[in-house]
Amino acid sequence: MSKVRTTVDPGVCQMVAVIAASCEDGQNAKVSVESPCANVQQFAAQVAELDVFAELGDGFDGAIYQAFRGA
C-alpha cells in the first residue's frame, strides 16, 4: 500500500489543510482532507475516492478539476 501525507499552509487565511492519500491497488486512491475551511471541506467530499489513471487521462476534465470548478 502506498501512502502520502502533506500539510498545506495557505498563508493569508491561516486555514491549514492536512491532506492524506492511500492506494492499495495501484489505481484507486482514498483521499482525506482535514481543514476548517468550508470550501475545502466541500472540495474534499467530492474527491474522497479517485481513479488515479482516469485523472491522468482526463486531464482538465478529471474529478479534481471538476471539483475545483464547483468549489
Side-chain angles (χ1 to χ4, degrees):
M1 176 190 316
S2 298
K3 293 182 180 180
V4 65
R5 181 179 169 101
T6 191
T7 301
V8 178
D9 185 349
V12 176
C13 72
Q14 302 292 313
M15 293 190 189
V16 174
V18 178
I19 305 165
S22 63
C23 185
E24 293 184 21
D25 64 2
Q27 181 170 349
N28 299 292
K30 293 186 179 185
V31 180
S32 68
V33 182
E34 298 174 22
S35 173
C37 177
N39 289 331
V40 172
Q41 291 171 7
Q42 180 182 356
F43 167 79
Q46 296 177 58
V47 297
E49 292 190 27
L50 297 170
D51 179 332
V52 177
F53 292 119
E55 286 301 301
L56 293 172
D58 290 342
F60 292 111
D61 289 325
I64 293 172
Y65 280 99
Q66 288 180 19
F68 269 126
R69 285 186 210 121

